Amino acid sequence: MTETTSKENIGSALRAFSTNDFSRNSLALFSTLGYKTERCAPLSQKTFEYFKSLIESSGKTLDDSKFYADEWKYVDFLFQLTKDDLSNQVGLFDNRRTDNTIVESYLFLAVELSSSEYSRTALARITRQVNRVFSMPVMILFKYGDYLTLSVIDRRISKKDESRDVLEKVTLIKDISIEKPHRAHI
């Protein structure tokens, strides 16, 4: 596939968010980007309350205000990439310790928010809170208004307790226009 075709496919995948199902469009976008796995477990109910009940059934508690729970219109687990899936991704990932982390899987989540715009701080706070309740990194695709934001967090092994992770910097690819994606976002 040529670079031009690849960019056109990404642009088409982004514009598709203006119609159809958010989860389906999210999966199509990640597939276009080369993330492929059969490990999908969509939520039966796509609400914050259901998401919260699943987390709390594992013994963890959530503070709704820290998650901006009132703003969540939709949430779904998209897929999980494990070390086996990652080893098939053209050698981009391996299972060795890098920068004091060992990551054996990634979880991808789709969250639609109700307002038309959000600050970097708000999106980073939600990302940090979601990642606190999972033992693996969670990448979040946010949708709000006519925009998408991809959120990723850095994790490292705690220097005091190697059985724990420390959450560090949140990186956002923010305000990707659905209608007219900027070429830098593509």
Side-chain angles (χ1 to χ4, degrees):
M1 182 179 319
T2 67
E3 183 178 338
T4 302
T5 304
S6 179
K7 288 179 181 180
E8 288 171 359
N9 290 343
I10 293 169
S12 294
L14 291 172
R15 285 186 294 277
F17 281 93
S18 62
T19 60
N20 299 327
D21 179 80
F22 181 38
S23 292
R24 184 177 301 126
N25 289 331
S26 299
L27 291 169
L29 173 63
F30 284 115
S31 178
T32 300
L33 295 173
Y35 294 98
K36 297 177 173 84
T37 183
E38 298 299 317
R39 289 176 177 77
C40 299
L43 297 176
S44 60
Q45 298 174 39
K46 317 274 192 228
T47 64
F48 179 82
E49 292 76 24
Y50 185 70
F51 172 79
K52 179 180 177 178
S53 71
L54 290 175
I55 301 302
E56 290 184 340
S57 69
S58 68
K60 298 178 180 172
T61 58
L62 303 184
D63 179 349
D64 289 12
S65 65
K66 291 182 179 180
F67 281 82
Y68 293 75
D70 296 345
E71 301 283 319
W72 289 40
K73 287 175 47 176
Y74 182 97
V75 59
D76 200 7
F77 287 118
L78 297 174
F79 57 90
Q80 179 181 10
L81 286 177
T82 66
K83 63 181 179 178
D84 296 329
D85 298 317
L86 296 174
S87 66
N88 295 331
Q89 302 291 322
V90 196
L92 293 176
F93 303 98
D94 61 28
N95 194 29
R96 294 189 307 256
R97 182 179 282 217
T98 306
D99 296 331
N100 205 24
T101 61
I102 299 176
V103 176
E104 295 190 6
S105 75
Y106 296 84
L107 186 61
F108 288 73
L109 194 68
V111 175
E112 185 173 0
L113 301 170
S114 59
S115 293
S116 61
E117 61 182 65
Y118 287 86
S119 68
R120 288 184 168 279
T121 302
L123 297 173
R125 284 182 183 161
I126 295 170
T127 301
R128 190 169 295 285
Q129 290 304 314
V130 168
N131 273 273
R132 281 193 173 136
V133 298
F134 290 96
S135 60
M136 67 198 79
V138 180
M139 297 182 192
I140 305 173
L141 182 63
F142 290 103
K143 181 180 182 222
Y144 47 90
D146 294 328
Y147 297 100
L148 299 171
T149 292
L150 181 61
S151 180
V152 180
I153 193 165
D154 290 334
R155 296 171 85 109
R156 68 168 172 81
I157 297 172
S158 170
K159 294 175 183 174
K160 294 179 182 177
D161 181 357
E162 287 203 6
S163 68
R164 299 180 56 130
D165 283 350
V166 175
L167 302 177
E168 293 191 322
K169 181 182 176 186
V170 175
T171 302
L172 302 172
I173 302 174
K174 189 172 181 311
D175 292 344
I176 302 167
S177 174
I178 292 170
E179 296 298 322
K180 294 181 181 175
H182 187 277
R183 69 178 207 200
H185 289 147
I186 291 175

